[in-house]
Amino acid sequence: MGKNRTLWLLLAVVVLAVVPLLMGGEFGGADGAAAELIEAENPGFVPWANPLWEPPSGEIESLLFALQAAIGAFVIGYVVGRRHERAKTTQKPEGRAVSDAA
């Protein structure tokens, strides 16, 4: 049953990744959409905060975003792995005899 489940999950991931691409959806950031909405609603709006540093190009911005995501995934994976191993080592072995006094 484990292999069948894995195949279904893999198929679901492929469908979730491919269907939006085939539908021709436009992918944009939430920041850009929010800025456009604010400008449309309030044309005289002046932002009260500015970025400390802006990357020189969109490719570098994408690289930094991907790096941030990779570091976050590594940290989460490390923590989950440590907790899983700790739980395995602290469990009592099953199937042992209750008394060794004989």
Side-chain angles (χ1 to χ4, degrees):
M1 180 168 159
K3 189 173 184 178
N4 194 18
R5 181 178 177 193
T6 303
L7 289 174
W8 279 109
L9 288 173
L10 182 62
L11 179 66
V13 168
V14 169
V15 167
L16 287 173
V18 171
V19 168
L21 294 174
L22 294 176
M23 293 177 68
E26 186 175 320
F27 296 99
D31 294 342
E36 289 175 9
L37 182 64
I38 290 170
E39 286 294 323
E41 293 289 323
N42 188 1
F45 177 76
V46 177
W48 56 272
N50 293 319
L52 297 175
W53 175 74
E54 289 192 33
S57 70
E59 290 83 11
I60 293 176
E61 184 176 1
S62 295
L63 171 73
L64 293 173
F65 183 76
L67 181 63
Q68 177 185 0
I71 291 170
F74 174 77
V75 169
I76 290 171
Y78 179 78
V79 169
V80 168
R82 290 276 302 200
R83 289 183 59 103
H84 179 71
E85 284 300 314
R86 185 178 300 152
K88 278 178 33 178
T89 58
T90 59
Q91 285 180 346
K92 294 181 181 178
E94 295 179 15
R96 293 187 101 186
V98 174
S99 100
D100 292 332

